[in-house]
Amino acid sequence: MLSDYLQTVDWSRAQFAMTAIYHWLFVPLTLGLGFIIAIMETLYVRTGDEFWKRTTKFWMRLFGINFAIGVATGIILEFEFGTNWSNYSHFVGDIFGAPLAVEGIMAFFMESTFIAIMFFGWNKVSKGFHLTATWLTAIGANLSALWILVANAWMQHPVGCTFNLETVRNEMTSFWEVLFSPVAMNKFFHTITSSFVLAALFVVGVSAWYLLRHREQKMARKSIAIASAFGFVFALVTAMTGDKSGAVIARVQPMKLAAMEALYDGQQGAPLTAIGIVRPEAERTSNEDAFYFKIDIPKLLSIMSFRDADAYVAGINDLVNGNEKYGVMSAAEKMERGRVAVGELARYRAALEAGDQAVIDQITAKFDPSKPEGEEFLREYFAYFGYGYLDTPQQIVPNVPLLFYSFRVMVGAGCFFILLLGVIWWLNRKDKLADKRWLLRVAVWSIPLAYLASQAGWVLAEVGRQPWAIQDLMPVGIAASKIGPGSVSATFFIFLALFTALLIAELSIMFRQIKIGPENEKQ
């Protein structure tokens, strides 16, 4: 039975990861392209120039294709919390479900309502009302992202909640603390601004394709002018929010930081590894043997993490084995404390069955944050509740090479995009871009690179918190539903086939519409 459950967990993880990866292929373009379209339509309303209406409707058509398929994958993703992760949903459903409910009631209905006017309201409503609908569709899509990212951020850094002993559930105590936690705010701004960059690169790349084929020259140049400026500004903002996110991670998820730097031994004035090749796991035990080769930037990791060149940054070995000098508790000690919390919960259940009111009152006091003994127990023991379900300290270490390379793909691509968008904006402004055919080809091929960088960011965020479904409170191994692995594996392949078909369909429709271009757009 244990073997079957472990297989269920592995298949559930694989299915959720596959669904999330496919879903995220559609979301970033929706988040950014909506605002670019709104800017173009604003120019149409202000100038009355039919060229801008024609251009807006062309990009709007591509937006609609992407939006429809993104919704389909997103709905399945949310249902998987109930089907595959029912233990998780029971444990934190009161908290996790709140932002998702707000997303459905407010944001999703808002964008779903106004997108109909945006697509079908041309010449049926006033220009001003249609423009308002376009802006509200873009805003609604990003509000949807806000609430979903708030829910995800809570998994990374659970705040604003308390544990209800009677129901064995975490319950929200402060909606505002959940909403405005530093992890949630940084995750939201970093994610949407990076999505704006991806959308800008999409518009620039498609427009570059037209310039290479000497088609729709005016539409391509004007679209590039808007998208390159839009993307360049938000590429800089993405870099700033990414820097802030690193500082937040250093404080709330130190293992994620250590793993993405392949930092095994913590140190003061820790360097940042610019590039490197990580050795196989069996050969990595210290900083000296972690890499085949690497190039470091002295003290930069300490500066980025704690804004102090001499700050101490904990390494993987410190977080696993502890470091008394710097006050780092070992994973083994956290496991002992977590097992105390798990044991008290088991004692409470046994006392309920036996009707032992004295024991019930004693344990209830320990879980009551309003009482001194409760405050101490929750801080010193229940804070490590999830560790009580781990078997070995080494389980807290995520996949180091995957995180190391994902981080460098994300950051390297981000730096490249800043340079690319800035150069393209400048050359387009000087009317010299059409002559730089090599640069136009680079712009076209930057579209898949943008998607790769976006996916790398999510791999870093989600794999980096493993083995936790909820940081420190619930490992993935106990979050899954108790269903047969055959059911999950079967639906994995069904969804894989379905999502692949949807992706192929979207790409074929997109390519066809791009080849047709705006010239057939009805006025």
Side-chain angles (χ1 to χ4, degrees), residues 24 30 34 37 46 78 96 104 128 188 214 218 227 251 274 306 323 329 346 408 415 419 435 448 468 474 479 497 507:
W24 195 248
T30 298
I37 290 170
R46 289 179 63 88
E78 291 197 17
F96 190 79
F188 171 66
H214 303 288
K218 181 180 178 182
R251 290 161 174 80
F306 298 102
N323 189 318
M329 187 186 302
R408 275 139 194 87
C415 295
L419 177 63
D435 299 330
W468 306 110
M474 174 176 268
L507 290 176

Side-chain angles (χ1 to χ4, degrees), residues 197-210:
V197 176
L198 182 146
L201 288 164
F202 175 82
V203 173
V204 168
V206 172
S207 300
W209 184 83
Y210 282 118

Side-chain angles (χ1 to χ4, degrees), residues 33 58 190 201 214 282 294 312 358 386 432 437 451 460 496 505:
L33 189 55
F58 169 69
H190 186 62
L201 288 164
H214 303 288
K294 63 176 179 174
Y312 169 78
K432 297 180 179 179
R437 297 185 65 81
Y451 281 95
L460 182 65
L496 178 62

Side-chain angles (χ1 to χ4, degrees), residues 201-481:
L201 288 164
F202 175 82
V203 173
V204 168
V206 172
S207 300
W209 184 83
Y210 282 118
L211 290 178
L212 284 168
R213 281 153 182 76
H214 303 288
R215 291 180 53 192
E216 297 293 340
Q217 301 284 292
K218 181 180 178 182
M219 186 275 290
R221 290 196 304 270
K222 294 291 187 180
S223 296
I224 287 174
I226 292 173
S228 60
F230 181 85
F232 179 73
V233 169
F234 283 106
L236 294 175
V237 177
T238 300
M240 290 186 289
T241 57
D243 173 67
K244 179 63 176 176
S245 295
V248 172
I249 288 171
R251 290 161 174 80
V252 302
Q253 292 178 304
M255 179 58 80
K256 179 187 289 187
L257 178 70
M260 74 187 198
E261 283 299 317
L263 180 70
Y264 279 80
D265 301 315
Q267 61 188 94
Q268 290 182 302
L272 179 76
T273 301
I275 58 173
I277 298 179
V278 180
R279 289 182 181 273
E281 183 177 8
E283 301 179 24
R284 299 193 306 268
T285 57
S286 66
N287 290 343
E288 286 71 28
D289 59 18
F291 294 89
Y292 286 112
F293 88 93
K294 63 176 179 174
I295 298 175
D296 287 340
I297 303 175
K299 299 193 174 186
L300 185 58
L301 183 60
S302 290
I303 294 172
M304 292 175 63
S305 301
F306 298 102
R307 307 308 192 237
D308 181 354
D310 296 316
Y312 169 78
V313 180
I316 293 172
N317 291 334
D318 301 281
L319 295 165
V320 171
N321 303 318
N323 189 318
E324 188 175 349
K325 178 181 178 181
Y326 293 101
V328 179
M329 187 186 302
S330 70
E333 172 65 20
K334 292 178 180 179
M335 289 168 62
E336 290 180 13
R337 296 189 180 201
R339 284 168 182 158
V340 170
V342 172
E344 289 298 283
L345 185 59
R347 281 184 62 213
Y348 178 78
R349 289 172 177 166
L352 282 177
E353 291 179 3
D356 191 337
Q357 191 60 45
V359 174
I360 292 173
D361 292 341
Q362 179 192 39
I363 298 174
T364 300
K366 287 185 176 182
F367 283 87
D368 187 348
S370 65
K371 296 182 179 180
E373 64 267 36
E375 182 182 1
E376 180 183 1
F377 181 82
L378 292 173
R379 182 182 66 252
E380 299 295 332
Y381 293 93
F382 187 76
Y384 308 106
F385 180 78
Y387 283 86
Y389 293 97
L390 300 181
D391 297 320
T392 65
Q394 286 69 32
Q395 284 182 267
I396 69 169
V397 183
N399 189 317
V400 174
L402 181 58
L403 295 181
F404 179 83
Y405 295 123
S406 294
F407 178 68
R408 275 139 194 87
V409 167
M410 180 185 69
V411 173
C415 295
F416 169 71
F417 296 152
I418 293 173
L419 177 63
L420 177 67
L421 289 166
V423 170
I424 285 177
W425 174 82
W426 177 256
L427 290 175
N428 188 65
R429 183 171 180 269
K430 295 296 183 180
D431 202 20
K432 297 180 179 179
L433 182 60
D435 299 330
K436 304 293 189 296
R437 297 185 65 81
W438 66 271
L439 185 58
L440 295 175
R441 293 189 182 94
V442 170
V444 172
W445 285 104
S446 292
I447 297 175
L449 179 59
Y451 281 95
L452 177 63
S454 184
Q455 292 287 348
W458 270 108
V459 168
L460 182 65
E462 297 306 291
V463 176
R465 67 177 162 85
Q466 296 303 311
W468 306 110
I470 309 163
Q471 184 72 36
D472 296 340
L473 292 182
M474 174 176 268
V476 172
I478 66 167
S481 304

Side-chain angles (χ1 to χ4, degrees), residues 50-51 53-54 57 123 518-519 521-523:
E50 288 294 317
F51 161 80
K53 179 181 180 182
R54 181 169 174 264
K57 293 178 76 173
N123 303 321
E519 64 268 22
E521 192 71 49
K522 294 181 181 179
Q523 300 297 323

